[in-house]
Amino acid sequence: MTESNDASVRLDLWLWAARFFRTRSLAKQAIETGKVDVAGQRAKSSRAVRVGDTLVVTRGDEVFEIEVRALSDKRGSATVAQALYVESESSRERRAAALAARQAERAGYQAPQSRPDKRARRLIRALGDIDAL
């Protein structure tokens, strides 16, 4: 971990070290497709990240608003990675609310007890809906 304020690390390398993405190439792809903003602006993967920068990282359905607290160009354990940034409280609350909404949407769904029979398979194919039983 680097602690000095004048030091910097590439954005894709920092996102990988902070465990937002499994590989550097996935981090680079997310940056190129506009899923990572630095200080409200779209960034390139080679952009230098410094302590105090604010990032908005979109990963799937989750949106993280974070502030860079430390720099690292090596991927370490999860506890080390969590020390690299701090997430804003509003971001944490929004992610928790979105998770609760997704779980509530799934609550009514029940998987079928067994495989559909011949008639049910034909209905499914005809309607294009798996819940057509």
Side-chain angles (χ1 to χ4, degrees):
M1 242 183 333
T2 309
E3 295 293 330
S4 63
N5 285 337
D6 60 341
S8 63
V9 176
R10 285 177 56 105
L11 179 60
D12 59 347
L13 187 59
W14 187 87
L15 288 170
W16 170 73
R19 292 182 169 260
F20 280 100
F21 298 99
R22 258 188 264 162
T23 62
R24 277 186 68 185
S25 61
L26 287 176
K28 183 178 179 181
Q29 183 180 8
I31 294 166
E32 289 173 351
T33 56
K35 292 181 174 36
V36 178
D37 292 338
V38 179
Q41 295 180 347
R42 201 168 164 176
K44 293 184 177 181
S45 58
S46 61
R47 179 183 170 120
V49 177
R50 292 181 173 79
V51 175
D53 285 352
T54 57
L55 305 174
V56 177
V57 180
T58 305
R59 188 179 66 189
D61 294 333
E62 298 178 316
V63 177
F64 297 88
E65 291 179 8
I66 58 173
E67 180 183 343
V68 178
R69 286 290 168 100
L71 301 176
S72 177
D73 57 356
K74 291 183 176 39
R75 188 173 172 103
S77 66
T79 54
V80 171
Q82 289 174 349
L84 297 178
Y85 63 91
V86 63
E87 185 177 6
S88 68
E89 198 61 40
S90 62
S91 172
R92 211 174 279 136
E93 290 170 2
R94 268 196 310 263
R95 283 192 315 110
L99 176 65
R102 284 195 306 271
Q103 288 175 342
E105 289 172 359
R106 272 196 313 255
Y109 174 75
Q110 290 182 346
Q113 295 292 330
S114 62
R115 290 183 54 194
D117 58 2
K118 188 174 187 176
R119 181 176 176 274
R121 283 195 305 271
R122 287 181 177 168
L123 281 171
I124 291 169
R125 213 173 296 123
L127 297 174
D129 186 11
I130 197 160
D131 295 336
L133 298 175

